[in-house]
Amino acid sequence: MHYEVVKEHRSNYPQPITLVKGDSVIVGERYAGVEGWNNWVFCIKLDHSAQGWVPEQLLQRDGELGVLTADYTAKELNVDIGDEVVGSKELNGWMWCEKLDDHDTGWVPKENFKKSSTMGSA
């Protein structure tokens, strides 16, 4: 689906956590913000090499430990008003997107865009 960005987004995490299926993590706090983004938990790789927010439904939990059931990266996509993106996966209030102008990819909050009235051009 094609979308037009109506609110800019900038990542607060320049080194996002990237995990592969089977990786183990320490599961910490649940996200509790005003945005209504449910099912996010803060995770730390067992070797402490990375940390970040992970969708809880991608974790098989055993207490404070979790194992990833799918590959995942927390990479956020920086977008500006008017950018055109293609959204391919929705998860917990965020959409995995590809910018049409430079083909960069990452997560963007769903409230930052609307369905595009044009098909866009690559």
Side-chain angles (χ1 to χ4, degrees):
M1 182 72 65
H2 284 77
Y3 298 93
E4 179 183 346
V5 176
V6 295
K7 180 181 175 188
E8 124 178 328
H9 176 74
R10 293 291 177 261
S11 174
N12 291 318
Y13 303 98
Q15 297 177 333
I17 191 169
T18 299
L19 303 162
V20 296
K21 183 178 180 177
D23 278 353
S24 294
V25 294
I26 300 164
V27 180
E29 68 179 302
R30 292 177 136 274
Y31 182 80
V34 296
E35 299 88 353
W37 299 331
N38 298 320
N39 300 319
W40 292 97
V41 289
F42 196 79
C43 294
I44 302 169
K45 279 186 159 183
L46 287 183
D47 65 3
H48 295 272
S49 64
Q51 59 186 13
W53 295 100
V54 175
E56 191 165 24
Q57 59 266 51
L58 298 183
L59 292 170
Q60 182 177 357
R61 290 188 64 169
D62 183 11
E64 292 186 5
L65 295 179
V67 175
L68 269 286
T69 60
D71 294 349
Y72 173 75
T73 180
K75 180 182 183 247
E76 294 179 26
L77 182 62
N78 293 327
V79 292
D80 295 308
I81 294 173
D83 283 350
E84 297 248 345
V85 299
V86 174
S88 60
K89 184 188 334 181
E90 184 179 331
L91 199 55
N92 302 343
W94 290 68
M95 178 84 66
W96 182 260
C97 295
E98 177 181 353
K99 285 173 59 176
L100 292 179
D101 62 354
D102 64 8
H103 303 287
D104 196 10
T105 57
W107 294 100
V108 178
K110 278 182 45 183
E111 70 260 13
N112 289 42
F113 49 77
K114 67 177 183 177
K115 287 184 182 175
S116 178
S117 58
T118 65
M119 288 302 287
S121 57

